[in-house]
Amino acid sequence: QMHLVESGGGLVQSGGSLRLSCSASGFNLDYYSVGWFRQAPGREREGVSCLTISNNGTRYADSVKGRFTISKDSVENMVYLQMNNLKPEDTAQYYCAAGGALAILTDKAMYNYWGQGTQVTVSS
C-alpha cells in the first residue's frame, strides 16, 4: 500500500522555523510530483509548494516565497518543507501529497495520494 506520513509540526513563535518531513512507503517519490498543502479552519486547502517531475522544478505560493523551501531525499524517499520566518497566518494543518507528472500546485485534485497532516501553529 502507498502511504505518506507527515511529521515535524508544532507550536512556534512568529519569526521562528520548522521543518516538516514527509515519509513515503509503497512507492518511489522520484516518479511522482510531490506537494505540500495546508488548510486552516474554515478555509479551502491550498497549495504551498510543489516539486514537479515534469521539469524537476519547484513552485511556491506567493505567500511563502522566500520563506519556505521544498526538497527531496531520494535515498530516504522523503520530502521536506523548511519553513522560516513563520507568521501567524501560516497556522494550518499541513499535508504532503503525491501526484502524476502533470500535477500542479493550484489543482489539488491532481494529487492522488495524501498524508494525514501535521499541525503547525504560529503564535504572535
Side-chain angles (χ1 to χ4, degrees):
Q1 284 189 332
M2 304 167 74
H3 290 289
L4 293 168
V5 179
E6 303 93 337
S7 61
L11 173 64
V12 64
Q13 288 188 329
S14 181
S17 299
L18 285 173
R19 188 176 83 151
L20 305 184
S21 301
C22 175
S23 176
S25 60
F27 66 109
N28 188 333
L29 285 174
D30 282 346
Y31 299 112
Y32 292 81
S33 291
V34 292
W36 285 97
F37 293 78
R38 66 186 182 187
Q39 188 168 18
R43 300 190 66 175
E44 292 269 338
R45 190 171 298 189
E46 63 175 357
V48 175
S49 181
C50 71
L51 197 161
T52 64
I53 61 170
S54 59
N55 62 358
N56 203 29
T58 56
R59 299 289 184 271
Y60 296 94
D62 288 343
S63 59
V64 305
K65 279 181 182 176
R67 301 188 297 123
F68 290 12
T69 304
I70 190 171
S71 61
K72 182 173 66 176
D73 185 330
S74 295
V75 174
E76 298 294 329
N77 207 30
M78 294 186 68
V79 178
Y80 303 97
L81 185 69
Q82 178 66 44
M83 307 186 295
N84 298 327
N85 191 21
L86 282 160
K87 304 176 181 181
E89 52 263 43
D90 295 318
T91 295
Q93 186 84 348
Y94 282 71
Y95 301 87
C96 71
L102 300 179
I104 58 175
L105 188 60
T106 53
D107 189 350
K108 54 184 179 291
M110 300 181 78
Y111 290 81
N112 309 103
Y113 308 104
W114 292 82
Q116 292 188 319
T118 185
Q119 178 67 33
V120 172
T121 303
V122 184
S123 63
S124 57

